[in-house]
Amino acid sequence: LRPDITVSALLAGPADLRQLEGRMAGTGVLYLASDARFSRYNPEHYQRLITDIMKREACSDLFFADTVLSRDLAPRLSVRLKASLLSGCSIIEDIASEASCTRALYSGSVIASFAPRRPLSIYTTSSRPTHPIIPSETHISLVLLEPPGFIEATLLPVVCGMVMRESGSDVTEAGIIVAGGRGMGSAEDFEQLEELARLLGGVVGASRPVVDEGWRPHAEQIGQTGKTVAPALYVACAISGAPQHLAGIGSSRKVVAINSDPHAPIFDVADYGIVGDVHLVLPKLIEGLQEFLKKR
Amino acid sequence: MDIAVCLCQVPDTASVITVLDGAVDLSRVHEVMNPFDEYALEEAVRLKERFEGSVVTLFCVAPPSAKEMLRKALALGGDRAVLISGTKEPSDPFQTALLLSRAISACYATALPDLIFCGKHSTDFQSAQVPLMLAELLDLASVSAIIKLNASTEGIQVEREIEGGIELLDLHYPALFSVEKGLNVPRKTTIKAVIEARKKPIDHLSLTLSESPFVAITAMKPLIRKKQCRFVSDAKELIRLLGHEEALF
Ligand SMILES: Cc1cc2nc3c(=O)[nH]c(=O)nc-3n(C[C@H](O)[C@H](O)[C@H](O)COP(=O)(O)OP(=O)(O)OC[C@H]3O[C@@H](n4cnc5c(N)ncnc54)[C@H](O)[C@@H]3O)c2cc1C
Ligand SMILES: Cc1cc2nc3c(=O)[nH]c(=O)nc-3n(C[C@H](O)[C@H](O)[C@H](O)COP(=O)(O)OP(=O)(O)OC[C@H]3O[C@@H](n4cnc5c(N)ncnc54)[C@H](O)[C@@H]3O)c2cc1C
């Protein structure tokens, strides 16, 4: 949108550039550090790669998606570059002049704006793009980075393995989440939520008691001591809506609540609600959805 | 083994947070140990119990009122505590990390502690910056948000959740970890431990802070999330609304 702003991007590790076709816009440089040793995260290597490019391009602002990796890397970079770090921004405004980043604090009961006080700024953002990408306007040059000398240095920690979940998708990345609370009753009762999630192309989430009971893994816990999620649709089944749970779902676009208690606080933050027993409502939802999807 | 644990205070989760003149009104909230720091402390104490001769030192940048929380942490197994204040009050994670790094360097004059534990994030400001900034300032290897830790005399293996899976990492001492819920189940205090904790030392350390903060807060407002809920009685009707009107699937 601002032709005077040049964007430099970095891809670390071997990458299939065809996947980027039609997904880039603007004017800038794409750096590709294709050495296979960059495919695994090493904070020291990544810091060096990034600081080199920032110097080369005289960058004033550095952007990350808000992920496990950036939450690990950005604070270290902030100290090393003496750069302001604005993390978890849901809105970023006016970076060319008096920049500000907005995010929720105190489990989502307060919203605050932060401003950088250093010439360099780092942002980690959970916001989704608000402007459509216009691929026709791209002026992007590709620079291949030679494997830098520092990569041989044995720097710790060393990632020695990864175990990926079979379902692959993560609640923090999911577009649709079907979450269950204590009122589901048992681990077995989550099969219905899995079925619903499968039909919707979403994933299953959980409240804390469900995880504490061992019905679901901790990776699925949503809330203050779990994940913060931002799906297009959040379906809360037999979840009361405690503030610690709501702390994680504030960025959901639409919330649907199913609860037998008409006064459950979850209905205060829901767009649609069904008052009823999940064990009766869920089979009907699944059946109705199968019909709906067949008709299309 | 020398183990340091960084602890901070946050309003307890039952507190109602109000905003007064653009700042959070903390006059009526009850402050407790950050929930993630309970897991950090528990892990440190478990290691102390396994490796004979270990000492667990607690570090906290806070006003003197944090003493009560530190007493509780000592009852949970800490050996001594250091309550840190700056020549000016720290106002961002960088300044907090600076004070912690200076306090830790001052307390372990010759070498760094073998392990430093922090919480994944505070439940108030939730920036998750202090631990990794501290690691960078002390030039320590670090891993954030660990869910599993296996320590031997040679090294440490940890696990952390990443998007879609789990990452396994190998480290040598010294190292810093921030911990995620699920690492352990924290113990409860006993009356005996509470009494013994009264004899454990809490030192006050005042440190120069001349550096400016990296970030400033420019506005703060209460967040009202109330929505108008549309109640539907029929599952089919809900699917029609979500699928057609909202075009969500
Ligand atoms: C420090 C701290 C951190 C926390 N962090 C988190 C967190 O990250 N995430 C989190 O979720 N919680 C967290 N909690 C816990 C939180 O306070 C609540 O206890 C929890 O969210 C409640 O979970 P729930 O809604 O599943 O269960 P409950 O509060 O027990 O609610 C169950 C709901 O199900 C409904 N119900 C029961 N049976 C049926 C049925 N057959 N059909 C339909 N509805 C039914 C009930 O009406 C009720 O509303 C935290 C608490 C503390 C103290
Ligand atoms: C821009 C900004 C401005 C602020 N301004 C003010 C202000 O004017 N007045 C004010 O009172 N507060 C202010 N704060 C809050 C205060 O500075 C934060 O509590 C501090 O920066 C720590 O950040 P955090 O709470 O996000 O910790 P996180 O980085 O989320 O904490 C993670 C872990 O680091 C460790 N840790 C964090 N803080 C401490 C600590 N104090 N002592 C020991 N260990 C700790 C703990 O192990 C904790 O679990 C401000 C925060 C920000 C981001």
Side-chain angles (χ1 to χ4, degrees):
Chain A
L1 297 171
R2 291 266 309 259
D4 55 320
I5 296 180
T6 306
V7 179
S8 306
L10 167 66
L11 273 173
D16 180 4
L17 292 181
R18 282 170 305 186
Q19 285 192 7
L20 293 175
E21 260 165 47
R23 295 171 69 187
M24 294 196 287
T27 307
V29 189
L30 175 64
Y31 285 90
L32 184 62
S34 59
D35 192 297
R37 286 166 292 181
F38 284 124
S39 57
R40 278 191 178 174
Y41 170 60
N42 174 309
E44 188 59 34
H45 292 166
Y46 277 41
Q47 281 204 78
R48 294 224 205 160
L49 262 185
I50 292 167
T51 42
D52 281 357
I53 292 165
M54 300 239 343
K55 270 207 205 102
R56 221 160 134 162
E57 297 288 339
C59 299
S60 57
D61 301 277
L62 174 62
F63 290 85
F64 287 101
D66 188 13
T67 62
V68 174
L69 187 153
S70 73
R71 260 170 263 153
D72 196 88
L73 187 60
R76 296 196 82 121
L77 272 169
S78 161
V79 170
R80 198 168 287 189
L81 296 167
K82 300 212 170 339
S84 298
L85 172 55
L86 300 136
S87 40
C89 313
S90 52
I91 307 168
I92 298 174
E93 274 169 308
D94 209 8
I95 61 154
S97 54
E98 172 64 358
S100 89
C101 141
T102 303
R103 67 177 172 101
L105 309 180
Y106 291 95
S107 304
S109 53
V110 173
I111 184 134
S113 298
F114 298 88
R117 286 291 177 256
R118 302 282 315 166
L120 288 180
S121 305
I122 305 173
Y123 303 84
T124 77
T125 166
S126 51
S127 66
R128 292 170 183 232
T130 47
H131 307 289
I133 295 167
I134 311 157
S136 58
E137 286 175 19
T138 51
H139 305 279
I140 295 166
S141 47
L142 182 69
V143 178
L144 282 170
L145 289 172
E146 290 298 314
F150 61 73
I151 195 153
E152 286 306 338
T154 52
L155 291 152
L156 297 164
V158 181
V159 178
C160 56
M162 285 201 245
V163 185
M164 303 312 280
R165 268 191 301 282
E166 264 169 44
S167 63
S169 191
D170 192 273
V171 284
T172 54
E173 292 171 331
I176 294 181
I177 297 173
V178 184
R182 180 161 29 208
M184 290 299 297
S186 75
E188 289 69 44
D189 287 295
F190 274 78
E191 276 162 26
Q192 284 187 319
L193 296 190
E194 279 185 358
E195 174 64 9
L196 191 58
R198 199 184 55 76
L199 289 170
L200 290 167
V203 301
V204 173
S207 70
R208 176 161 161 172
V210 167
V211 172
D212 289 350
E213 288 287 344
W215 299 348
R216 303 298 298 184
H218 177 251
E220 289 177 8
Q221 185 186 316
I222 291 159
Q224 191 191 67
T225 43
K227 301 275 167 62
T228 302
V229 296
L233 174 63
Y234 189 81
V235 186
C237 306
I239 292 178
S240 60
Q244 296 89 355
H245 187 79
L246 302 185
I249 68 165
S251 303
S252 309
R253 196 140 54 85
K254 292 287 165 190
V255 176
V256 172
I258 304 166
N259 199 301
S260 50
D261 172 9
H263 303 294
I266 189 76
F267 289 123
D268 293 340
V269 298
D271 297 278
Y272 296 98
I274 292 187
V275 178
D277 183 340
V278 278
H279 303 112
L280 303 174
V281 176
L282 281 171
K284 283 197 201 131
L285 265 182
I286 291 168
E287 192 190 318
L289 192 59
Q290 280 164 337
E291 251 170 60
F292 179 89
L293 295 174
K294 223 183 284 160
K295 274 194 212 135
R296 265 211 310 216
Chain B
M1 203 184 281
D2 273 324
I3 308 171
V5 185
C6 300
L7 302 173
C8 66
Q9 290 201 104
V10 296
D12 87 22
T13 59
S15 300
V16 179
I17 307 291
T18 51
V19 178
L20 207 73
D21 301 327
V24 168
D25 177 14
L26 293 177
S27 58
R28 272 174 305 163
V29 306
H30 176 233
E31 297 217 270
V32 295
M33 189 190 304
N34 181 31
F36 289 97
D37 300 356
E38 294 181 21
Y39 306 113
L41 176 60
E42 176 66 27
E43 199 63 22
V45 174
R46 286 187 188 190
L47 288 174
K48 176 183 111 168
E49 289 164 350
R50 265 191 49 211
F51 295 95
E52 214 175 304
S54 299
V55 176
V56 174
T57 310
L58 317 172
F59 292 86
C60 175
V61 179
S65 55
K67 254 179 119 159
E68 193 188 325
M69 181 271 286
L70 287 176
R71 280 265 172 254
K72 191 183 160 206
L74 291 170
L76 287 166
D79 295 300
R80 58 182 187 129
V82 183
L83 185 53
I84 306 143
S85 57
T87 40
K88 59 183 177 198
E89 226 180 280
S91 70
D92 78 343
F94 172 65
Q95 289 187 321
T96 305
L98 258 185
L99 286 176
L100 283 171
S101 74
R102 284 179 189 152
I104 290 173
S105 301
C107 287
Y108 298 92
T110 49
L112 287 170
D114 302 293
L115 289 172
I116 303 181
F117 287 104
C118 295
K120 178 182 81 161
H121 65 217
S122 70
T123 55
D124 53 1
F125 277 74
Q126 294 167 266
S127 55
Q129 293 179 10
V130 172
L132 285 303
M133 286 182 164
L134 179 59
E136 181 68 20
L137 288 164
L138 295 172
D139 199 17
L140 274 177
S142 62
V143 184
S144 54
I146 59 165
I147 51 165
K148 202 167 192 176
L149 180 142
N150 234 319
S152 68
T153 42
E154 287 84 45
I156 317 132
Q157 283 93 47
V158 295
E159 292 183 10
R160 81 165 140 211
E161 273 170 20
I162 55 173
E163 285 78 8
I166 285 170
E167 203 173 51
L168 319 168
L169 301 104
D170 266 345
L171 291 93
H172 294 294
Y173 298 98
L176 179 148
F177 299 107
S178 83
V179 313
E180 170 69 290
K181 177 185 177 258
L183 182 66
N184 54 44
V185 180
R187 69 195 66 193
K188 305 257 182 295
T189 44
T190 60
I191 291 175
K192 185 163 160 262
V194 170
I195 293 166
E196 276 171 7
R198 290 202 198 124
K199 285 182 253 145
K200 296 181 180 172
I202 300 181
D203 297 325
H204 291 257
L205 193 61
S206 179
L207 297 168
T208 9
L209 181 63
S210 51
E211 293 81 352
S212 303
F214 282 3
V215 179
I217 293 179
T218 50
M220 216 180 236
K221 304 193 287 256
L223 184 59
I224 314 289
R225 266 211 288 242
K226 228 171 153 65
K227 286 183 177 175
Q228 195 59 50
C229 183
R230 180 165 166 187
F231 284 96
V232 244
S233 51
D234 175 45
K236 280 212 182 91
E237 172 65 358
L238 179 65
I239 285 163
R240 194 191 63 77
L241 286 166
L242 297 176
H244 276 306
E245 282 189 21
E246 303 278 4
L248 285 165
F249 43 81

